Amino acid sequence: RLHVHAGALMEQDPEQGLAHYLEHMAFNGTEHFAAAEMVKYFQRLGMAFGADTNAYTGFDRTVYQLELPEGREELIDDGLLLLRDYAGRMNLATEQIESERGVILSEMRERDTASFRLFQERLRFVLPDALFHRRMPIGVEETVRAVGREEFAAFYTHWYRPSRITVVAVGNVDPTTMAAQIERHFADMPEPERPAPDPALGTVDPDSVQAQYVVEAEAPAVTVALETVHPYTLGPDSLDLRIHQFRRHVAHEIISRRLDILAEAEHTVFSAGQACAYDWQGFVTRAALDLTCRPADWQ
């Protein structure tokens, strides 16, 4: 895995969707892998595009995935060469940017579902003063239609840098040999003289009490939800933290199981229920109770 600590949150207003678009461009040609040959090369190694080599973009990260069929040193070397190309040697050819534009727009249309719109609306409601609801990783159509090579190159240079990159290797390999291979491929990657600062993510108001009513014509059912948010302070991993998270998870699983039993009872006004609590994006702790019901039973 090549983990780049840069995603939609690092975009400026005119760049919304650029991080995700850039992820697509990694598969459209790099210094050592031409666009037309990249997939064919790995297919010859017995790998399937999508299953064995893929990527995804989130709010704060872009991750490139590579599943090698075996742990031979020369095969690992080829894989690391590809990851190094993703990290700083994409071609970003103008003709490839243009050809990928339609693919991105098609993906945006596919993702424009009732569940996505409700997710975005809920995020906007529970975290109105935070950046997240204004930086959905899929982006906005205006950016996708207009962004050019200059904008790609600027974002790539600012955010794809050694201090924001982690290479993760897991498998039946010798750690010392693997470390040496990673060092050989990535040691020459330059750090920009003026790295871009991390974005201001906004604030969380745990004391505000608000109600919201959302109409979504394509929603399959009516959901009534109660949610709380609290600022999350990111600290070091520890046994105490894991125990706390485990207890919280088990408690909410118990509540969810009770709701399942109630939903099956006669004359129950809701058909499904779920309780959850979790630390989200290293920014906020969210806890929620959701009940699904008939429209007439929402109260």
Side-chain angles (χ1 to χ4, degrees):
R1 301 290 188 270
L2 176 75
H3 178 286
V4 185
H5 182 36
L9 292 173
M10 286 70 191
E11 300 163 351
Q12 299 299 312
D13 281 343
E15 298 176 327
Q16 293 182 64
L18 188 54
H20 172 246
Y21 203 154
L22 182 60
E23 171 223 309
H24 276 242
M25 292 308 301
F27 302 98
N28 281 276
T30 65
E31 181 178 322
H32 295 95
F33 298 88
E37 297 299 323
M38 186 181 294
V39 174
K40 294 179 182 178
Y41 173 78
F42 286 99
Q43 285 175 339
R44 288 196 295 270
L45 298 178
M47 299 166 60
F49 185 80
D52 297 318
T53 173
N54 212 330
Y56 66 88
T57 304
F59 286 103
D60 66 344
R61 71 195 65 186
T62 306
V63 179
Y64 298 91
Q65 307 167 183
L66 200 58
E67 302 284 346
L68 299 175
E70 53 184 302
R72 287 186 289 111
E73 186 174 340
E74 60 270 23
L75 188 58
I76 293 173
D77 210 53
D78 285 343
L80 289 173
L81 177 62
L82 178 65
L83 294 185
R84 174 62 180 88
D85 273 12
Y86 290 162
R89 299 171 180 152
M90 295 187 204
N91 291 339
L92 302 178
T94 300
E95 62 270 20
Q96 296 295 339
I97 291 173
E98 293 301 326
S99 66
E100 195 67 24
R101 212 179 293 274
V103 176
I104 302 290
L105 290 169
S106 177
E107 190 173 334
M108 292 180 74
R109 288 190 292 269
E110 290 176 1
R111 292 192 186 185
D112 186 19
T113 62
S115 60
F116 174 79
R117 292 191 293 271
L118 288 170
F119 167 74
Q120 188 173 16
E121 189 62 37
R122 186 164 179 171
L123 203 57
R124 183 182 293 112
F125 176 67
V126 299
L127 296 172
D129 300 318
L131 185 60
F132 295 89
H133 66 85
R134 298 191 297 274
R135 293 294 184 270
M136 302 304 290
I138 192 63
V140 296
E141 186 173 337
E142 292 83 355
T143 297
V144 174
R145 290 193 179 278
V147 68
R149 192 186 190 284
E150 184 177 341
E151 291 86 352
F152 276 104
F155 188 91
Y156 195 31
T157 302
H158 284 157
W159 297 108
Y160 279 56
R161 58 184 196 256
S163 56
R164 305 189 75 88
I165 285 177
T166 305
V167 179
V168 181
V170 179
N172 184 20
V173 295
D174 176 67
T176 302
T177 302
M178 177 62 74
Q181 286 181 281
I182 294 172
E183 178 79 16
R184 187 169 68 254
H185 281 285
F186 284 85
D188 67 340
M189 192 173 179
E191 187 79 21
E193 293 182 6
R194 298 180 180 178
D198 281 337
L201 300 184
T203 59
V204 181
D205 183 3
D207 300 318
S208 175
V209 179
Q210 303 288 340
Q212 181 194 39
Y213 174 63
V214 178
V215 177
E216 173 52 64
E218 296 181 11
V222 171
T223 300
V224 180
L226 179 68
E227 181 164 352
T228 66
V229 293
H230 293 273
Y232 175 69
T233 302
L234 186 63
D237 197 5
S238 68
L239 179 60
D240 287 342
L241 176 62
R242 294 298 182 105
I243 291 173
H244 165 73
Q245 292 173 336
F246 179 69
R247 286 174 172 165
R248 183 177 65 186
H249 173 72
V250 170
H252 284 83
E253 285 293 301
I254 291 171
I255 298 172
S256 295
R257 178 61 184 142
R258 290 174 179 172
L259 292 173
D260 287 342
I261 295 171
L262 287 171
E264 296 173 358
E266 191 175 0
H267 305 307
T268 300
V269 295
F270 63 92
S271 59
Q274 182 183 24
C276 62
Y278 51 94
D279 305 318
W280 190 73
Q281 299 293 323
F283 178 74
V284 65
T285 297
R286 303 175 65 177
L289 175 69
D290 288 27
L291 298 175
T292 302
C293 64
R294 298 178 303 171
D297 294 327
W298 74 268
Q299 287 177 308

